[in-house]
Amino acid sequence: CSELLSKKPGGSGIEIGGPEELKLEEKKVEGAKRVALTGFKQVDGIAEKSGILLGDYLVFVNGSSVGAGCRWLGESSSPTRAEVEAMIKDTSKYPIGLTFARPLRDRADNKGWSAMIGGGGPKSTAITMENSETVCVAADASEQLGLVLETINGSDIVVKDLEAVPGPFQSLAAILNDRETKKLHQSIDAVNGEFVPSFATPQMVATAMDRSWKSQGSVEVMFCDDERKIWVQSLQ
C-alpha cells in the first residue's frame, strides 16, 4: 500500500485543485466492492483563477518590464517571447509575480475589452499605460500558471490561451502508476486513517476527502495496489 498526504499549495493565496482531481469508480476485486482510482482531471491554473483573460498583455515579470511594459517605460528594446517564457520557467525566479494589463472598462472614451475585440482584438490597437488597468498574479511554480503566450504588434506579449494544469493530487500521485505498464490499479483503503467500509460509494469517499481538504487544508489517503496484492497472496 502507498500513503499519500496532499496539502493545499501555499504562497500564492490562490487555491487550485483538490480531491476533485481524482476520478473514482466502484469495482469488484475478488468479490469485494472497492473504490478505485481510475485517473485524474486537470484543473484551472492560477492565471485563470486570478481572473486573467485571453488577450491580456504581460507587462512585468518580477518587476522587470517586458512586452508593452518596455514601450511604456521608453525602453529601446524588450525581451523576446522566448526569453520571457524562459524567465517564467526559471525556478530561481520563484515565487514569481506577473503583471498583466487590459483596457479600462469605465472611461467614456474607451469601451474596454469589448471595444478592442470588436475592432479585431488586441492586435488592432496598442495598449497604453493611460488606457489600461493591471492585474497581478503570484505563483510558486511555473506548472501552476497554465499560460500560453504569443507576440503581437511586433513586441507586445499577450495571453493566447489558458490551459488546465496538474493539481497537487496529480503531481504527487505519479508514484502510484505501475512502473512497467504506467497504468493505475489502485483502490482507496483509508482516508485520514479511517478505513473505507465495503458499503462506501465513490461519492461518499470523495465527500470525506473534500471535507478534510476544505476544513484542514490537507487529506491523507492510503491506496492499495489490488493487482500486486492478489499476486502476493497467490505466492503464499
Side-chain angles (χ1 to χ4, degrees):
C1 294
S2 301
E3 197 170 287
L4 178 67
L5 175 62
S6 186
K7 297 181 179 180
K8 290 184 180 181
S12 70
I14 301 294
E15 178 184 327
I16 63 169
E20 76 228 39
E21 299 170 50
L22 304 182
K23 294 181 180 179
L24 304 176
E25 66 177 40
E26 187 178 304
K27 73 172 185 178
K28 292 274 188 164
V29 179
E30 294 192 319
K33 191 173 73 172
R34 304 277 281 162
V35 175
L37 172 66
T38 60
F40 300 92
K41 304 172 190 174
Q42 292 196 313
V43 298
D44 291 342
I46 284 179
E48 187 167 0
K49 284 269 194 175
S50 299
I52 298 304
L53 304 174
L54 300 185
D56 281 353
Y57 289 71
L58 178 60
V59 290
F60 296 101
V61 176
N62 282 348
S64 298
S65 56
V66 300
C70 295
R71 176 161 46 79
W72 291 358
L73 299 181
E75 298 177 5
S76 58
S77 62
S78 61
T80 64
R81 176 172 58 85
E83 290 172 334
V84 171
E85 289 172 338
M87 291 168 63
I88 293 174
K89 292 178 181 178
D90 185 351
T91 56
S92 69
K93 304 288 186 185
Y94 287 82
I96 202 169
L98 306 178
T99 303
F100 296 84
R102 65 176 65 129
L104 289 169
R105 291 170 291 180
D106 57 353
R107 286 183 48 171
D109 61 342
N110 188 340
K111 295 181 180 179
W113 204 224
S114 59
M116 298 282 274
I117 295 174
K123 296 181 181 181
S124 64
T125 307
I127 196 170
T128 67
M129 190 180 300
E130 292 73 22
N131 75 353
S132 65
E133 60 184 356
T134 57
V135 180
C136 297
V137 174
D140 295 310
S142 61
E143 296 81 9
Q144 299 175 352
L145 287 166
L147 277 174
V148 179
L149 303 173
E150 68 174 338
T151 304
I152 65 170
N153 299 330
S155 61
D156 291 353
I157 297 172
V158 301
V159 179
K160 179 182 180 181
D161 198 7
L162 294 165
E163 296 182 328
V165 302
F169 276 82
Q170 184 174 353
S171 299
L172 288 173
I175 60 173
L176 299 177
N177 289 327
D178 187 290
R179 293 181 181 179
E180 296 180 358
T181 66
K182 304 302 180 184
K183 293 182 179 180
L184 282 167
H185 27 80
Q186 303 271 352
S187 294
I188 296 180
D189 262 7
V191 176
N192 288 341
E194 297 288 336
F195 281 97
V196 176
S198 60
F199 61 80
T201 65
Q203 183 58 47
M204 291 170 65
V205 173
T207 299
M209 290 191 292
D210 190 58
R211 186 182 301 114
S212 174
W213 186 257
K214 289 178 178 177
S215 63
Q216 302 176 33
S218 65
V219 63
E220 185 177 342
V221 184
M222 182 178 290
F223 293 93
C224 182
D225 186 326
D226 292 316
E227 290 190 10
R228 186 171 295 274
K229 182 178 179 180
I230 293 171
W231 176 73
V232 169
Q233 291 175 340
S234 70
L235 299 177
Q236 296 176 353

